[in-house]
Amino acid sequence: MARLLLGVSGGIAAYKSLEFVRLAIKAGHVVRVIQTPTSERFVGKASFEALTGAPVLISEFERDPARGAFPDQTPPDHEPISHLQLVRNADLMIVAPASANTIAKLATGVADSLLCTAALAAPCPVAIAPAMNNQMFLNPATQANLATLRERGITVLDPDTGQLGSKGEWGVGRLREPSELLSACEQLLARGVPQPMDGLNVLVTAGGTREPIDSVRYIGNRSSGRMGFALASEALHRGANVTVIAANVALPRSPHVTYVDVETAAQLQAASQEKFPSCDLLLMAAAVADYRPSDVADTKIKKEQRTLALSLERTDDVLTSLALQRIPGQTVVGFAAEHGDGLEAARIKLARKDLDAIIVNDISRQDIGFDSEANEVIFVSAAGESLIPRATKAEIAAAILDLVLQLRSAPTAYASGSTLST
Ligand code: CTP
């Protein structure tokens, strides 16, 4: 549990800060919010007050009914200066969204709002999550301000590229997803505190391989890499050194993870062979092609014939060959996408591939899996099965790692049939 002070500045992305607060509280943190007057034009303070259960402050001269205390604290007898007391009590201050204007003020030390004064006085770590139009973000003035803030030890949670708030606009400047902001905050808070996966080398494969047919076409699959990236992010958050072998994944990346990009099953195999010997835990979440075209045309195949037959050959089973090479202390976890109830098939794969655990999900369901933010899986090991009910991929990743850690500490100790509470 941590005390998070959220500063909200003006921008359409302010609505996402409500979700950030909801997730932070759900994760057990306590939150206080301060807003700039402009942000009130986008989101009213009543919403933040309802979620946090604490007053929201906007002006420096406003009396704080909670006297700078967080919801878990008893307010002091005296009336402290709000901005000083709030930052003193906070474990971390995050400004999300951070507008171009607020970033400029923070970089130059302007203290004309409660948010800016609080940031200037903060003894705790400060993170900012910029969100704005792409031209504003890429403007040298904004970039110089961000560079200044980075130099001064402020963590900048860079925005994503994609659809922007204003209709029809696209580019870099989207506020990072609230769940990612929370996990970045938790990583900052975790620095220096012993973590359950400290020093553990975790290798994750993610995404889906593509097998070329000719110079422009390939046989691929629908895996987005979201589950693998969620596992990587959770392992990182728990202190692990994380390497991700990413097969065609177009998702935001962490500066604290090592990525090896691959396209084909053969490239994934070569990269996995190289990285596997130094890992303690392999999470094989990638969808690896089982077949590839036997002959790849050097140029683009012309549509000269009415039908076209492709001859396919089997690829190697990467996971099986890695599991065969494992030494004591290495844990090998596979994933199986099965149509319908795949439990029996998963048990068979667990034995056939000689795995420590296999995680199975039902790809016939539309509400989970491919391209979805959600998943529902069954964790299968020699000790039994655990259903991890439908939840976000970040929550599923956390539950999977809990079970993997239990497996590593006592291979047959965890109870069969336990469930994740959501
Ligand atoms: N896998 C692998 N190499 C392959 C195919 C699969 O390493 N060529 C890995 C996947 O990354 C996954 C696990 O094996 O972790 C299970 O994949 P799956 O395709 O479900 O298993 P298969 O043994 O290929 O069984 P099926 O007959 O159902 O395709």
Side-chain angles (χ1 to χ4, degrees), residues 272-273 276 282 284 318-326 332:
S272 306
Q273 284 291 353
F276 181 69
L282 169 68
M284 191 80 182
V318 184
L319 184 56
T320 303
S321 64
L322 295 176
L324 277 173
Q325 298 163 32
R326 76 152 141 355
V332 176

Side-chain angles (χ1 to χ4, degrees), residues 142-223:
T142 306
Q143 289 303 313
N145 289 332
L146 289 171
T148 303
L149 291 172
R150 279 195 192 94
E151 270 165 32
R152 293 183 189 150
I154 291 191
T155 302
V156 178
L157 305 170
D158 280 323
D160 286 336
T161 299
Q163 194 80 46
L164 299 175
S166 17
K167 199 169 175 220
E169 297 280 329
W170 194 93
V172 59
R174 265 172 75 92
L175 184 71
R176 288 270 281 276
E177 286 308 312
S179 58
E180 289 174 26
L181 294 179
L182 181 60
S183 111
C185 287
E186 290 176 336
Q187 275 167 38
L188 281 173
L189 288 161
R191 279 186 194 164
V193 180
Q195 293 301 305
M197 293 178 83
D198 266 349
L200 216 63
N201 294 322
V202 175
L203 178 62
V204 181
T205 66
T209 60
R210 292 176 181 173
E211 307 306 320
I213 297 170
D214 63 14
S215 60
V216 291
R217 302 180 181 95
Y218 57 81
I219 299 173
N221 62 68
R222 288 177 53 204
S223 177

Side-chain angles (χ1 to χ4, degrees), residues 205 265 268 283-291 314-322 333-338 345 349 352-353 355 358:
T205 66
L268 185 138
L283 299 167
M284 191 80 182
V288 188
D290 288 326
Y291 292 91
R314 282 282 293 272
T315 57
D316 292 335
D317 190 311
V318 184
L319 184 56
T320 303
S321 64
L322 295 176
V333 179
F335 288 73
E338 300 288 349
K349 278 179 199 174
R352 190 180 74 217
K353 300 198 182 205
L355 308 175
I358 188 158

